[in-house]
Amino acid sequence: MQCHAQLSSTFYDRTCPNALTTIRTTIRQAISSERRMAASLIRLHFHDCFVQGCDASLLLDETPTIVSEKTALPNLGSVRGFGIIEDAKREVEKTCPGIVSCADILAVAARDASSLVGGPSWTVKLGRRDSTTASHTLAETDLPGPFDPLSRLISGFANKGLSTRDMVALSGAHSIGQAQCFLFRDRIYSNGTDIDAGFASTRRRQCPQEDQNGNLAPLDLVTPNQLDNNYYKNLIQRKGLLQSDQVLLSGGSTDSIVTEYSNNPRTFASDFSAAMIKMGDISPLTGQNGIIRTVCGAIN
């Protein structure tokens, strides 16, 4: 882990004092027209930070010299919200051209998204710069997957400097958003002891054993558009949608954390905020490293 002393919540106070308000306006408009976008924006920041650090590498489009992360398996056909980030960037550029990085816009957008759907808010540290490279390869290896066993989830987050508790808290982002049928099909047809039979039966209606791969189901069936601790209550009832959700309550080291969050929404909210700040600190480009992109999808 690098020294993060250069990131500071006041980074743009002199150079672009209205940056955060401008970004928030764009994010608010996007989420009011589609609630699901909140989950998509949080996921963008997450999928960015886990690959080369929080450097907006995920936003770069394919070129003759860049193999985009967008086409890596964990991102292909599922990562979305790029246009919203570009909208925010375009608005910020009008008042402060060349000042605010796309990486910082991702971090701010994730915080705004959380607070706009009833989740916690936190003070975002700023001063990240944008990469000039992407890593399709690392996007294939470093992002956690929906079929990962608990040990792999724990080690994948530990590799990024995040504790097991951080991992369980960040998984609570699955209190909002949706997943595609092919990612939970095995689980709902497994007749396993780790899934509620009625829940499995309900989910099968929209997810047949063949075809309909892209059919969406909410990750939290109770409050699908509220970022709350209901995700953990669902796990206790064996109603986690993905294998990687339910595995957090499967007789292992994370059971006690799930129970704690299910009983204590305030603990969840403060741990989620702290973990999001920590995730935003992963290997940023600062000082003279990296660039400030003019458009988030391309190198200037």
Side-chain angles (χ1 to χ4, degrees):
M1 299 296 290
Q2 288 170 238
C3 167
H4 310 310
Q6 298 109 319
L7 294 189
S8 145
S9 61
T10 59
F11 191 83
Y12 297 114
D13 282 10
R14 291 209 177 101
T15 53
C16 192
N18 295 322
L20 273 66
T21 315
T22 305
I23 296 166
R24 190 176 185 86
T25 302
T26 301
I27 304 309
R28 187 189 290 114
Q29 287 165 348
I31 291 171
S32 67
S33 64
E34 189 201 11
R35 289 284 279 190
R36 180 188 176 205
M37 189 53 73
S40 303
L41 291 169
I42 291 171
R43 189 164 183 249
L44 271 181
H45 181 44
F46 161 45
H47 279 217
D48 176 36
C49 290
F50 266 56
V51 181
Q52 293 189 166
C54 310
D55 62 355
S57 59
L58 173 57
L59 305 182
L60 290 172
D61 289 314
E62 195 88 14
T63 69
T65 52
I66 291 169
V67 187
S68 178
E69 292 172 20
K70 294 182 183 183
T71 52
L73 222 55
N75 295 328
L76 186 63
S78 69
V79 168
R80 59 197 292 277
F82 298 109
I84 308 304
I85 300 298
E86 292 288 7
D87 290 347
K89 174 65 168 167
R90 194 161 45 245
E91 290 305 309
V92 171
E93 286 298 300
K94 287 178 188 170
T95 48
C96 331
I99 301 291
V100 180
S101 69
C102 298
D104 277 347
I105 292 174
L106 283 170
V108 172
R111 185 271 311 272
D112 291 345
S114 172
S115 69
L116 288 163
V117 292
S121 189
W122 56 90
T123 303
V124 179
K125 293 198 256 173
L126 302 161
R128 299 168 195 79
R129 288 165 64 85
D130 299 323
S131 72
T132 52
T133 62
S135 181
H136 184 99
T137 313
L138 288 176
E140 298 265 351
T141 59
D142 286 15
L143 287 162
F147 310 109
D148 284 359
L150 184 58
S151 58
R152 176 144 185 193
L153 292 172
I154 290 171
S155 64
F157 279 72
N159 289 341
K160 304 294 173 188
L162 297 165
S163 69
T164 299
R165 193 173 176 92
D166 293 328
M167 184 272 288
V168 178
L170 291 169
S171 297
H174 284 186
S175 169
I176 53 173
Q178 305 186 69
Q180 298 181 63
C181 164
F182 77 100
L183 296 173
F184 58 84
R185 179 182 279 131
D186 287 353
R187 175 161 158 74
I188 61 171
Y189 286 99
S190 68
N191 288 318
T193 53
D194 64 344
I195 187 165
D196 176 86
F199 171 69
S201 151
T202 302
R203 284 291 157 255
R204 283 184 208 133
R205 276 181 235 148
Q206 298 295 318
C207 183
Q209 280 186 285
E210 308 287 334
D211 307 321
Q212 311 292 309
N213 277 350
N215 282 13
L216 295 168
L219 287 155
D220 169 7
L221 72 168
V222 185
T223 55
N225 289 311
Q226 281 292 109
L227 180 38
D228 53 27
N229 70 327
N230 224 94
Y231 168 81
Y232 304 98
K233 296 180 182 179
N234 296 337
L235 297 184
I236 286 168
Q237 295 172 16
R238 295 176 303 141
K239 293 177 181 177
L241 186 62
L242 302 175
Q243 197 59 47
S244 56
D245 292 322
Q246 196 59 53
V247 78
L248 300 180
L249 189 83
S250 57
S253 61
T254 52
D255 285 17
S256 58
I257 310 171
V258 170
T259 307
E260 186 182 352
Y261 291 159
S262 75
N263 290 324
N264 199 326
R266 290 171 111 153
T267 306
F268 163 63
S270 70
D271 283 7
F272 182 78
S273 299
M276 286 294 287
I277 292 167
K278 244 171 111 174
M279 186 179 80
D281 268 346
I282 299 173
S283 309
L285 295 166
T286 56
Q288 298 304 302
N289 296 316
I291 60 169
I292 304 297
R293 291 184 210 145
T294 307
V295 173
C296 292
I299 290 160
N300 304 347

